[in-house]
Amino acid sequence: MKRVVVGSLLSLLLAAGIFLGYGGWHTATTLEGVLRVGGSTAQGDGWPAPETPFDIGFKGNPAVALDFAYEDVVIESELGPLPAWLVLPEHGGLHETTWGIIVHGIGGRRENGYRFLPHFRAADMPTLLVSYRNDEDAPRDPSGFYAFGLTEWRDLEAAADYALGRGATSLVLLGESMGGGIVGQFMRRSGRAERVSGLAFDAPAFDFPAVLVSQMEKAGAPLPKVLAPVGMRLFALRNGLAIAGTDVTETISEFSGPVFVSHGSADRIVPAAGTEAMVKRRTGATEYLRTDADHILSWKSGPAAYDAALGAFLKQAAGQR
């Protein structure tokens, strides 16, 4: 009887090992496909042809898109030059002390910021629409992967240095989708985080491990909460990126300044539950615009409400009333 019990336990352990080994390997391989630069991304593919500058996929500088005065600038990063647009405020000039920086999501481009830009400009903030490593017009990261902020935050820090070097004394950052993760890693790691006076987000990917689990559940993977950590560990061993460390929910929750965030309940890419958890944990001033939209489509689902909420937030963040 004892031998039977021991044999059964050994068989179970062997089966569990095979399950974790194969399942973890498959998860890591899938992650490599999802995060590898050049693959299909949530923002880079599958959108309807853009009809206005506020639609995903629109191409054109701020003057062409919105008739806004701007400068083509270059931000020097550790990997090389990063092109950016510096949009002038509606009133005044670059002497304004609060500047905005808009950070787009994975596979996106600077033009994604046009949904938010008019409100930064109306709040009289000089505003940078930035590129970062692995964008189509920026240097590639040596890893060959998007990293949900683990590497990209250093490019945002370079943009912050540029703004501070041209007269900014405080910064308001907006992150969209993976841009939310980049902003979060900047707030966690950068010495310039103390210069940030406000944060804004649209469908932010604060917690990539939770995004991974959600997508595995939708794909019907067995025990995703068990396999996801194993897969992320194997991904880190194979590629040198500790993607499990991309949860910045606590960092954003503890930010003492004001926060604006919008997220749609129908988001199929980044579950809104992560945003709601962050909002519940915050004690500082927080404006949460709940919508019923899919990923990064909250503005599209209700432009008037979105514009009113974000516009009021940014004017307060810039010290206006």
Side-chain angles (χ1 to χ4, degrees):
M1 185 59 136
K2 185 176 180 180
R3 291 182 178 179
V4 172
V5 172
V6 171
S8 298
L9 287 174
L10 290 175
S11 297
L12 287 172
L13 289 172
L14 178 61
I18 292 172
F19 171 76
L20 290 174
Y22 175 77
W25 172 85
H26 186 270
T27 301
T29 302
T30 300
L31 268 176
E32 289 172 346
V34 169
L35 297 178
R36 192 177 302 279
V37 177
S40 176
T41 65
Q43 288 188 272
D45 303 284
W47 297 95
E51 298 178 356
T52 76
F54 306 116
D55 294 328
I56 305 301
F58 179 88
K59 292 185 178 182
N61 64 49
V64 170
L66 299 167
D67 198 27
F68 288 171
Y70 79 102
E71 296 178 14
D72 280 308
V73 301
V74 175
I75 294 167
E76 294 298 333
S77 76
E78 64 182 9
L79 294 183
L82 299 170
W85 291 318
L86 172 55
V87 178
L88 306 183
E90 187 172 341
H91 306 102
L94 297 181
H95 63 278
E96 303 294 339
T97 56
T98 301
W99 282 41
I101 303 177
I102 300 176
V103 188
H104 63 75
I106 184 171
R109 54 173 63 95
R110 286 174 278 168
E111 288 92 333
N112 284 25
Y114 288 159
R115 285 169 289 144
F116 322 112
L117 180 60
H119 304 295
F120 280 86
R121 184 170 176 269
D124 291 335
M125 293 187 207
T127 302
L128 288 167
L129 284 82
V130 299
S131 58
Y132 52 81
R133 63 191 65 199
N134 298 321
D135 281 358
E136 59 189 4
D137 52 359
R140 290 289 182 98
D141 187 270
S143 70
F145 293 104
Y146 297 107
F148 275 77
L150 292 177
T151 56
E152 297 92 348
W153 75 268
R154 294 194 287 269
D155 300 333
L156 177 53
E157 184 176 74
D161 284 340
Y162 179 91
L164 295 169
R166 289 196 63 173
T169 59
S170 64
L171 304 170
V172 175
L173 310 181
L174 185 147
E176 170 201 60
S177 191
M178 188 181 84
I182 297 172
V183 169
Q185 292 293 339
F186 171 90
M187 296 301 295
R188 173 185 287 175
R189 299 168 183 267
S190 175
R192 319 306 183 265
E194 63 186 18
R195 308 296 287 274
V196 174
S197 59
L199 297 173
F201 301 99
D202 187 279
F206 291 141
D207 184 352
F208 179 73
V211 173
L212 174 60
V213 169
S214 174
Q215 293 302 313
M216 291 175 69
E217 288 174 345
K218 290 178 181 179
L223 300 178
K225 291 182 179 180
V226 174
L227 290 182
V230 177
M232 288 187 289
R233 178 61 178 160
L234 289 175
F235 177 88
L237 291 172
R238 281 154 52 166
N239 301 293
L241 287 173
I243 205 72
T246 50
D247 180 0
V248 295
T249 305
E250 183 176 359
T251 299
I252 304 303
S253 299
E254 294 178 350
F255 174 62
S256 61
V259 168
F260 169 90
V261 60
S262 177
H263 211 141
S265 59
D267 195 323
R268 293 174 292 176
I269 305 298
V270 179
T275 292
E276 292 169 358
M278 182 278 295
V279 169
K280 289 178 181 178
R281 292 173 64 175
R282 276 188 55 76
T283 57
T286 308
E287 174 72 19
Y288 180 24
L289 180 63
R290 298 175 176 86
T291 74
D292 58 1
D294 200 351
H295 191 57
I296 62 173
L297 291 177
S298 285
W299 179 87
K300 192 87 170 178
S301 71
Y306 198 109
D307 288 346
L310 179 60
F313 172 84
L314 291 176
K315 286 183 178 179
Q316 290 181 354
Q320 299 182 22
R321 292 292 182 268

